[in-house]
RNA sequence: GGGCAGUUAGCUCAGGGGGAGAGCGCUUCCUUGACACGGAAGAGGUCGGAGGUUCGAUUCCUCUACUGCCCA
């Protein structure tokens, strides 16, 4: 694939070319397909399946990038890395969108009928699935497409049925008439967590209900006066002294005249309102409970769309909120409404449609959660649970699972897994079965009807880590890759998904579905607001890739946050990531220019290494160790920072600048060694960076003489003892400090960059060799023509002076010497040194410090103190000389 | 009401018991044979406040203020 171009590589990196080319190459090479080597240890991640009719947003991009980084890294480390892709049929979300499209054509799903409607949905699914696949490609994800799954495909549907039947047979799934959360817009039941509570300004209406015997009245307060139509009692606290005489009496409901009893129940809070509450068992969960205790009638006054029904008398056909207004008006006219108080209370809204949720009495299917939760709690508390990263999310999970209520799993939708229950038209028998039964188990009639409802989408998502691997079949994949190693998701679906996968995994596979859960935050807009369709502040990852390239986006997202915390999306940061890509590109361009025509054999690392060579190899060792350690901790931001600093500040700013001397020089052996070091460091750096920036690293790596088939399967670097050279760090520090000091003087004295100057260096004994060995580099990087290095040299008259660690520098700038400037700089240096010396001496004279601080810290302070003092002596001596 | 985060340079954020960091922005200079998506040299912060632990706190603990999120 590599093209034999080096010298004519363009000077700016063009992401589009590389991205198209290499993704195809990777897929054709099947580098992402797991299971090719049974000797390797497996490492598995299943992707959180995106909603099939959506578009991937920037949150997906973050989530997917992080998984890809880990998978690519593990693959390079020699694991049999499996990243399993797939999508979710997303019941409500998808159905709503298809219905919206039909509405535009003036149609409803009922006009089409169930079968035709589902055909429409499948068409949508096909279109959007293709789109999502395309987005995965663009992001460069190393997914194993040969194992791609869909929550609605045959295997996963079998898993759903299996789970349903097993739970039913265990008595953990039941059907019954209870108060559930009803979405009148989507016309379906919802689970508890699909309801979002918001503070809403409303009113508390106080009403007088007259006693039937005419002996008085009782005042009740409510935020929902329209529910008066469904009242079947008034309740007071049994110990409430105010109402002792009234318990057992009968009141007459205003407006409708129904007679209802006054009952006593512990649930009533005597402190709230008047201490008497109206009871509407069919429209309030607490009232429902009271109704059961007191055997009250349950009167449903609304239909499925939130319109008042035939039980509402003259209000029939009105919308529930319109009805509220009318009822208030009528109550007022009847003189029953005694007070209207401003009142802020919490109102449930549908997570999907946004409609105000109606507590609604309805027959639904439920999962009995207690036993499943118990198992999960037990596992977590015994230390056998999943590891949450960051660990604070474990508490959030535990709190939820410990307080979980039964899960309403039936939905009145068409797009979803049909509930595997059948009813006999003849005898009314209900059958739950894996396969469609052909006759009634009771009366053998063949007149069977399947339950119309479908299951909550999350019911199938809960099985994702094992259903995708073939469960309930004992497949090879299931045996090899399950339990998975990691689940990576944002904190907003811990309850919806993570928790449910955990208890499902434990129940059906007797294993936790994943070892670690890595929780990320959300990607917000530049102002810190949550991205949303209504605000229109979402960022399309494809737009980011189009403008800056996939690698820039990946680097920006993965380094932009710490685990579990939100990050803001800022274009400047993407731009900065692109600059980084471009920097790597150009450093590589430089290297490749000097490797043109060089064979892999010639790049054997041997021979005499320069200071810079030893230093960069030593630093590479440390960087390899750091990056590996940081990835193990899922610390992507630090990983990125370490690589950025190593490549930009050390490799580009210093090593390459030093390397230019031998590379442009005459010494062939030095040239050969430098090329070898440069090629090695570049190769290793590209490998380290590859998980984060896959495209550019492959593009460059393929140009190296030492390249293999693909960097995606190149081995992960490990530190080499041969390059351990801590002394080189000290040497480079001295050189860098000296070069900077000269540049500083040049800048302050406004010496033109092209103007070559004279420089005299008086090194200390222990730095003389390092400085002497790097004479050409000092010349080049300081713009020096005439350089003298001598431990015994005399300070020339009329020269600028600087003191650095390990050496003194003199610049006899003819005609430019500014004594005042030199004195000012030396004084500034002196001030700093005085402060440092004082700080160190204060520390060392503190007996507590010397006695209690770790020995190496004390020793380090002593050493620092000595250095500062030595340096200060020199500064003082130079100042004295100048004054003399 | 309960819980959890955050508060560090102009902005956005890292960091972490022992000399305050990055990116962007800002100032000055430079189109030098990898790169102006660049190079060189700089300016800029008493790490929200108050106590405590410690030889030593920006970092650990407690309280407190403000911001955000989750749960009821």
């Amino acid at each position: 694939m590599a093209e034999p171009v080096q010298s004519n590589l363009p000077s700016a990196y063009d992401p589009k070319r590389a991205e198209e080319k290499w993704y195809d190459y990777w897929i054709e090479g099947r580098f992402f397909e797991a299971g090719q080597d049974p000797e390797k240890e497996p490492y598995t991640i299943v992707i959180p399946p995106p909603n099939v009719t959506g578009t991937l947003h920037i949150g997906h991009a973050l989530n997917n990038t992080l998984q890809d980084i880990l998978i690519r890294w593990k693959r390079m480390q020699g694991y049999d890395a499996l990243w399993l892709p797939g999508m979710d049929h997303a019941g409500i979300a998808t159905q709503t969108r298809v219905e919206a499209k039909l509405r535009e054509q003036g149609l409803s799903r009922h006009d089409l009928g169930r079968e035709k409607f589902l055909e429409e949905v499948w068409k949508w699914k096909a279109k959007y699935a293709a789109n999502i696949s395309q987005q995965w490609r663009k992001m460069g994800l190393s997914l194993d497409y040969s194992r791609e799954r869909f929550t609605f495909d045959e295997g996963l549907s079998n898993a759903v049925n299996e789970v349903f039947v097993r739970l039913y047979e265990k008595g953990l799934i039941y059907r019954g008439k209870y108060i559930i959360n009803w979405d009148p817009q989507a016309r379906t039941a919802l689970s508890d967590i699909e309801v979002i509570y918001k503070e809403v300004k409303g009113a508390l209406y106080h009403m007088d209900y007259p006693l039937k015997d005419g002996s008085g009245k009782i005042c009740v307060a409510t935020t929902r006066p329209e529910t008066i139509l469904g009242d079947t009692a008034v309740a007071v606290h049994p110990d409430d002294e105010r109402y002792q005489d009234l318990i057992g009496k009968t009141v007459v409901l205003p407006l409708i005249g129904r007679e209802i009893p006054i009952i006593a129940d512990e649930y009533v809070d005597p402190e709230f309102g008047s201490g008497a509450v109206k009871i509407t068992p069919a429209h309030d969960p607490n009232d429902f409970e009271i109704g059961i205790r007191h055997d009250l009638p349950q009167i449903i006054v609304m239909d499925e769309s939130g319109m008042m029904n035939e039980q509402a008398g003259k209000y029939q056909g009105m919308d529930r909120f319109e009805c509220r207004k009318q009822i208030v008006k009528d109550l007022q006219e009847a003189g029953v409404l005694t007070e209207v108080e401003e009142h802020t209370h919490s109102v449930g809204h549908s997570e999907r449609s946004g409609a105000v949720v109606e507590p609604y009495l309805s027959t639904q299917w439920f999962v009995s959660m207690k036993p499943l939760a118990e198992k999960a709690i037990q596992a977590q508390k015994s230390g056998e649970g999943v590891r949450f990263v960051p660990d604070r999310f474990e508490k959030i999970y535990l709190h939820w699972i410990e307080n979980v209520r039964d899960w309403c799993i039936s939905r009145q939708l068409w797009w979803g897994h049909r509930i595997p229950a059948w009813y006999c038209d003849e005898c009314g028998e209900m059958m739950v079965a894996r396969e469609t039964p052909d006759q009634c188990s009771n009366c053998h009639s063949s007149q069977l009807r399947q339950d119309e409802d479908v299951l909550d989408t999350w019911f199938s998502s809960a099985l994702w880590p094992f259903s995708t691997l073939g469960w309930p079949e004992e497949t090879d994949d299931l045996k090899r890759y399950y339990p998975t190693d990691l689940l990576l998701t944002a904190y907003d679906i811990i309850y919806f998904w993570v928790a449910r996968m955990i208890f499902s995994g434990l129940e059906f596979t007797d294993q936790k579905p994943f070892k670690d859960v890595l929780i990320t935050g959300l990607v917000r807009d530049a102002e810190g607001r949550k991205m949303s369709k209504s605000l229109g502040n979402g960022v399309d990852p494809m737009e980011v890739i189009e403008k800056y390239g996939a690698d820039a986006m990946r680097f920006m997202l993965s380094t932009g946050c710490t685990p579990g915390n939100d990050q803001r999306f800022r274009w400047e940061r993407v731009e900065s990531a692109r600059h980084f890509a471009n920097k790597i590109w150009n450093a590589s361009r430089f290297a490749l220019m000097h490797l043109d025509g060089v064979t892999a054999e010639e790049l054997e690392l041997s021979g005499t290494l320069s200071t810079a060579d030893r230093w960069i190899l030593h630093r590479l060792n440390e960087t390899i160790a750091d990056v590996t350690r940081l990835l193990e901790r899922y610390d992507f931001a630090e990983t990125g920072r370490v690589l950025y600093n190593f490549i930009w500040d050390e490799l580009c700013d210093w090593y390459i600048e030093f390397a230019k001397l031998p590379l442009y020089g005459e010494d062939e052996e030095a040239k050969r060694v430098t090329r070898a070091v440069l090629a090695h460091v570049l190769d290793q750096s590209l490998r380290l960076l590859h998980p984060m920036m896959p495209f550019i690293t492959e593009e460059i790596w393929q140009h190296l003489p030492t390249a293999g088939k693909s960097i995606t399967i190149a081995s992960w670097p490990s530190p080499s003892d041969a390059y351990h050279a801590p002394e080189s760090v000290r040497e480079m520090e001295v050189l860098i400090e000296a070069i900077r000091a000269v540049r500083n003087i040049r800048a302050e004295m406004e010496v033109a960059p092209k103007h070559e100057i004279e420089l005299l260096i008086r090194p200390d004994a222990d730095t003389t060799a390092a400085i002497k060995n790097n004479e050409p580099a000092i010349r080049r990087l300081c713009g020096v023509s005439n350089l003298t290095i001598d431990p015994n040299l005399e300070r020339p008259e009329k020269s600028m002076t600087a003191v650095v660690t390990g050496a003194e520098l003199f610049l006899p700038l003819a005609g430019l010497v500014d004594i005042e400037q030199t004195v000012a700089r030396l004084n500034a240096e002196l001030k700093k040194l005085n402060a440092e010396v004082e700080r160190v001496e204060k520390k060392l004279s503190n007996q507590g410090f010397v006695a209690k601080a770790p020995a190496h810290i004390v020793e380090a302070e002593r050493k620092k103190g000595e250095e500062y003092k030595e340096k200060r002596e020199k500064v003082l001596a130079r100042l004295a000389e100048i004054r003399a």
Side-chain angles (χ1 to χ4, degrees), chain A residues 537-651:
Chain A
N537 60 346
V539 173
D540 177 3
M542 296 305 113
E543 185 192 342
V544 182
I545 291 171
E546 179 66 24
K547 286 181 172 155
Y548 293 93
D551 289 328
M553 180 183 76
R554 292 170 58 112
F555 192 79
M556 174 269 172
L557 288 171
S558 55
T559 58
C561 61
T562 35
N565 291 342
D566 294 349
Q567 69 170 301
R568 296 186 190 197
F569 185 94
R570 309 189 118 242
W571 287 100
E572 308 96 273
R573 290 192 35 248
V574 193
E575 203 176 340
S576 147
R578 182 185 61 175
H579 293 175
F580 180 44
N582 197 55
K583 188 71 178 176
I584 298 158
W585 178 255
N586 278 293
S588 306
R589 217 158 60 97
F590 170 81
L592 294 171
M593 199 167 82
H594 291 279
L595 297 173
D596 197 4
V598 177
T599 63
E601 292 70 39
E602 292 172 84
L603 293 175
E604 188 81 14
L605 242 174
S606 63
T608 311
L609 299 174
S610 70
T611 305
D613 292 336
R614 283 180 287 116
W615 172 73
I616 200 69
L617 289 169
H618 178 82
R619 286 290 304 127
L620 174 68
N621 262 354
E622 292 182 331
T623 304
I624 292 167
D626 286 348
V627 166
T628 308
R629 178 178 51 84
L630 290 164
L631 283 176
E632 271 158 14
R633 287 179 13 196
Y634 305 125
D635 197 339
F636 304 99
E638 269 302 281
T639 302
R641 196 188 60 81
V642 164
L643 285 168
Y644 187 100
N645 289 342
F646 176 72
I647 292 172
W648 201 311
D649 301 339
E650 301 188 304
L651 181 58

Side-chain angles (χ1 to χ4, degrees), chain A residues 424-438:
Chain A
C424 175
D425 282 338
E426 298 287 326
C427 69
E429 178 77 359
M430 183 182 79
M431 287 148 279
V432 167
R434 288 168 179 86
E435 305 289 339
T436 307
D438 37 343

Side-chain angles (χ1 to χ4, degrees), chain A residues 310-439:
Chain A
E310 69 285 354
Q311 294 288 342
K314 65 170 182 168
Y315 302 99
Q316 182 177 357
M318 290 177 96
D319 171 77
R320 55 192 167 144
F321 299 113
E322 214 178 302
C323 176
R324 179 180 300 174
K325 279 186 206 156
Q326 189 58 46
I327 292 244
V328 168
K329 204 173 152 202
D330 292 351
L331 287 168
Q332 213 153 19
E333 277 169 16
V336 178
L337 195 64
T338 55
E339 195 189 344
V340 181
E341 206 183 327
E342 269 192 23
H343 183 69
T344 304
H345 62 296
S346 179
V347 177
H349 294 71
S350 165
E351 189 234 354
R352 275 293 153 196
S353 72
V356 172
V357 163
E358 189 64 38
Y360 199 62
L361 185 63
S362 154
T363 301
Q364 302 288 344
W365 290 88
F366 298 86
V367 173
S368 180
M369 285 303 300
K370 261 272 156 4
L372 298 169
E374 277 307 322
K375 213 179 221 181
I377 296 162
Q378 168 65 25
Q380 201 65 27
K381 293 203 162 161
S382 68
E384 296 296 305
V386 302
R387 183 171 77 106
F388 281 81
V389 182
D391 58 9
R392 66 186 139 95
F393 290 105
E394 181 180 14
K395 263 194 285 184
I396 294 181
Y397 158 71
L398 270 175
H399 180 260
W400 184 76
I401 195 96
E402 281 169 349
N403 296 282
V404 70
R405 285 181 293 175
D406 285 357
W407 177 13
C408 174
I409 49 170
S410 43
R411 297 290 178 274
Q412 286 63 53
L413 304 169
W414 286 353
W415 178 240
H417 297 100
R418 197 83 176 261
I419 289 177
W422 287 264
Y423 308 96
C424 175
D425 282 338
E426 298 287 326
C427 69
E429 178 77 359
M430 183 182 79
M431 287 148 279
V432 167
R434 288 168 179 86
E435 305 289 339
T436 307
D438 37 343
Q439 57 172 335

